Amino acid sequence: SDVQGSAGAGPTIAAPPISASPAVSVAFTPMRRPRRRWSSTMRVGTTLTVQTIGWNPSSWAVSVVVPARNEAAGVEPALRSLLAQDYPALEVVAVDDRSEDGTGAILDRLAAAEPRLTVLHVAALPAGWLGKTHALHLGAQRAGGELLLFTDADVVFEPGALRAGLT
C-alpha cells in the first residue's frame, strides 16, 4: 500500500427570496448519511429554507483533515492550535504528502503524545492524482467524524474557533 498510518427533524427557517426574481432561490438541507457524514440538497423555489436534523454542534464528532507537504516550519504550531480547541469530540487526521523536510517526523512525534491525532504518510502519488487532492481524499477516508473540516498545515486557529464556527 502507498499509505501508512500511525497512531429527527430540526427547525426550518424561511426567508424572503434571495434575489430580485422570486422565481429563483435555494434550499439547503443538511442531513445525516449512512456513514454519518454531512450532506445537503438544493431545491429551486421561492424561499430560502434551512433545515437541520438533530443539530447540536457539541454532540457531533468533528474530523479535521490537514494535508502537509514540506511544512516543517509551521505544521507544529498549526496542529497544536487544533488540538487545543475546546471541542469535546475532535480528531485530527494529518496527511504527510511525500514531504522532503522534517514534516513527517514532526507529525509522528506529535501523534505519539496525542491520541486524537492520526498521521498518514503518502509514499507515492497514484497516477491521475494531484498531491493535495489525494492527501485530502485519504484523510477523509480515514476520518471518523460526522463533520469534516479541511484546513492547510500552516493555519493556526485561535482558541475557541472551532466551537464558534459550529454554533
Side-chain angles (χ1 to χ4, degrees):
S1 171
D2 290 328
V3 180
Q4 303 167 357
S6 64
T12 298
I13 303 167
I18 58 174
S19 68
S21 168
V24 178
S25 63
V26 178
F28 176 67
T29 308
M31 65 192 94
R32 291 185 185 204
R33 292 188 289 175
R35 286 205 62 225
R36 298 173 56 139
R37 296 278 194 251
W38 186 265
S39 69
S40 64
T41 58
M42 302 292 280
R43 291 183 229 142
V44 175
T46 58
T47 60
L48 172 64
T49 303
V50 177
Q51 179 180 9
T52 59
I53 297 174
W55 182 249
N56 179 359
S58 63
S59 71
W60 287 29
V62 173
S63 297
V64 182
V65 178
V66 184
R69 178 168 168 84
N70 297 331
E71 295 282 357
V75 72
E76 186 165 354
L79 287 179
R80 288 193 184 280
S81 76
L82 280 169
L83 294 166
Q85 293 297 304
D86 64 343
Y87 194 83
L90 173 68
E91 79 166 334
V92 178
V93 179
V95 183
D96 176 26
D97 182 22
R98 303 164 292 127
S99 294
E100 298 166 344
D101 61 2
T103 300
I106 293 168
L107 296 176
D108 288 339
R109 178 174 46 80
L110 292 171
E114 176 55 69
R116 296 175 300 158
L117 175 60
T118 299
V119 177
L120 304 176
H121 296 276
V122 177
L125 186 61
W129 282 93
L130 298 176
K132 188 170 189 176
T133 54
H134 181 248
L136 291 168
H137 171 74
L138 293 176
Q141 282 185 320
R142 178 61 66 95
E146 295 167 291
L147 301 176
L148 297 178
L149 170 65
F150 298 96
T151 187
D152 286 335
D154 57 356
V155 175
V156 175
F157 285 75
E158 290 290 324
L162 185 59
R163 181 180 297 276
L166 291 172
T167 57

